[in-house]
């Protein structure tokens, strides 16, 4: 771990960004060049004191998940992310399509959607980052670990995962999720995260085993329509627009509703009801 170089790199990247670059208000009487330390800490999901100690060359070695969060928060390119990991004493993450790194361009789009439910997911249905209203709508899906990070895995192993959709939609979602996992599996191979999810589900879920054996590819959703069941607001009939990155390994999902509808009014209430428990 090169404390001096790590601290200097983080400081220069922080000072190169403006609040509006990451979706934050500038506020009055701003004197700091670039972002404040506490703003970077908030973007990375850590305490201001923890981040400050890193910049002051007296903090502990940051974990890989912490570095990945900082890379996203600071809108680092892949080369900059790799440099960050090396300065912190870690091996650089894989650059295969299954990487969790979100490109700066996609992050800039998400930062401008803070008043909209939106999130970035990868090809394994693992949620990488969410807006606050997406957390209110779906729950904090970034907090899961291990195989549970994948919605596909949770869908077939944890009953609570299905509560986000009306029961009448469950069968079709099972087919869609299985089909999407098969696509990821075919691209990444058996010796991959996709392969580990498939192996685990074949052992644990008879429903998944039956669907997997059907070998369905490209099962389509009903246009961009998606019904979400919320514990406080009931069912919301939404449109889910998907913006894919260049290699189709990640997607930005944006949830909207037709103006004037009941669902549109419910979306405006999300901020009031607060964060949803994804296990509820």
């Amino acid at each position: 771990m090169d404390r001096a170089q790590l601290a200097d790199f983080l400081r220069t990247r922080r000072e190169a960004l403006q609040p509006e670059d990451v979706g934050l208000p500038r506020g009055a009487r701003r004197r700091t060049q670039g972002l404040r330390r506490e703003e970077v800490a908030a973007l990375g999901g850590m305490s201001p004191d923890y981040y400050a100690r890193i910049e002051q060359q007296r903090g502990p070695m940051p974990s890989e998940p912490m570095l990945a969060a900082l890379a996203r928060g600071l809108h680092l390119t892949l080369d900059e992310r790799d440099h960050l990991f090396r300065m912190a004493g870690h091996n650089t993450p894989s650059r295969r399509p299954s990487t969790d790194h979100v490109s700066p361009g996609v992050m800039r789009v998400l930062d401008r959607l803070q008043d909209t439910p939106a999130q970035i997911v990868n090809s394994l249905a693992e949620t990488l980052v969410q807006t606050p209203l997406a957390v209110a709508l779906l729950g904090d899906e970034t907090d899961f670990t291990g195989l549970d990070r994948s919605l596909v895995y949770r869908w077939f192993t944890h009953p609570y995962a299905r509560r986000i959709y009306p029961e009448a939609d469950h069968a079709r979602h099972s087919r869609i999720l299985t089909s999407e996992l098969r696509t990821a599996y075919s691209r990444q191979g058996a010796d991959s995260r996709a392969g580990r999810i498939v192996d685990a589900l074949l052992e644990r879920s008879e429903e998944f085993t039956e669907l997997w054996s059907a070998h369905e590819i490209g099962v389509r959703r009903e246009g961009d329509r998606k019904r979400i069941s919320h514990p406080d607001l009931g069912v919301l009939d939404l449109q889910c627009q998907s913006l894919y990155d260049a290699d189709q390994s990640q997607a930005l999902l944006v949830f909207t509703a037709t103006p004037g509808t009941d669902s549109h009014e419910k979306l405006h209430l999300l901020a009031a009801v607060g964060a949803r428990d994804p296990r509820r």
Side-chain angles (χ1 to χ4, degrees):
M1 179 178 177
D2 189 330
R3 294 180 183 275
Q5 287 298 309
L6 175 63
D8 191 55
F9 178 64
L10 288 173
R11 178 184 56 77
T12 58
R13 298 318 305 146
R14 172 172 63 81
E15 292 178 351
L17 289 172
Q18 298 302 317
E20 51 268 26
D21 294 332
V22 294
L24 296 176
R26 171 164 290 275
R29 300 180 180 178
R30 188 177 189 89
R31 298 177 180 176
T32 304
Q33 179 182 352
L35 298 179
R36 299 186 176 102
R37 285 176 176 170
E38 58 267 27
E39 291 171 333
V40 175
L43 291 170
M46 62 193 71
S47 72
D49 178 67
Y50 180 91
Y51 178 78
R53 283 186 288 135
I54 295 176
E55 272 204 19
Q56 294 166 356
Q57 305 180 36
R58 58 187 182 87
M61 175 184 283
S63 67
E64 292 185 2
M66 192 69 74
L67 292 171
L70 279 173
R72 287 195 295 270
L74 290 170
H75 291 192
L76 302 186
T77 65
L78 280 174
D79 287 338
E80 290 171 334
R81 180 207 64 178
D82 290 351
H83 180 71
L84 175 68
F85 271 70
R86 286 192 292 267
M87 293 301 96
H90 291 280
N91 293 326
T92 58
S94 168
R95 290 201 181 197
R96 294 181 301 176
S98 58
T99 179
D100 288 346
H101 183 72
V102 180
S103 71
V106 177
M107 280 299 302
R108 282 193 292 270
V109 176
L110 185 75
D111 289 335
R112 284 157 175 76
L113 296 172
Q114 294 302 300
D115 59 349
T116 303
Q119 59 187 32
I120 298 171
V121 301
N122 64 16
S123 59
L124 301 179
E126 297 170 341
T127 301
L128 306 179
V129 61
Q130 297 173 284
T131 63
L133 288 188
V135 175
L137 178 66
L138 303 169
D140 186 353
E141 296 185 340
T142 67
D143 197 39
F144 292 102
T145 59
L147 294 177
D148 282 347
R149 289 185 61 202
S150 171
L151 174 59
V152 187
Y153 184 79
R154 299 197 304 273
W155 182 266
F156 289 103
T157 58
H158 299 301
Y160 65 74
R162 304 195 175 206
R163 294 173 189 159
I164 62 174
Y165 296 119
E167 187 173 355
D169 299 346
H170 287 182
R172 180 160 184 82
H173 281 296
S174 293
R175 292 179 58 218
I176 291 171
L177 289 171
T178 303
S179 170
E180 291 176 345
L181 178 58
R182 183 173 285 284
T183 298
Y185 180 88
S186 68
R187 290 176 176 172
Q188 299 178 23
D191 186 20
S192 66
R193 283 158 62 183
R196 290 190 288 275
I197 293 172
V198 170
D199 291 342
L201 287 176
L202 288 174
E203 290 183 2
R204 293 197 56 181
S205 171
E206 292 183 3
E207 180 190 6
F208 175 81
T209 299
E210 181 179 352
L211 290 169
W212 188 255
S213 65
H215 217 106
E216 288 188 299
I217 294 291
V219 178
R220 303 299 179 189
R221 301 183 184 273
E222 297 177 1
D224 58 6
R225 182 180 180 225
K226 184 173 288 191
R227 297 200 303 164
I228 303 294
S229 181
H230 192 279
D232 299 313
L233 301 176
V235 176
L236 288 78
D237 198 339
L238 305 175
Q239 286 78 50
C240 179
Q241 305 293 336
S242 303
L243 173 65
Y244 291 91
D245 65 357
D247 63 8
Q248 302 288 297
S249 64
Q250 294 178 358
L252 170 61
L253 309 181
V254 183
F255 298 88
T256 62
T258 303
T261 64
D262 182 57
S263 295
H264 188 258
E265 294 301 317
K266 290 178 179 179
L267 277 183
H268 286 295
L269 296 174
L270 281 176
V273 300
R276 172 180 182 175
D277 184 347
R279 295 172 176 83
R280 179 181 170 190

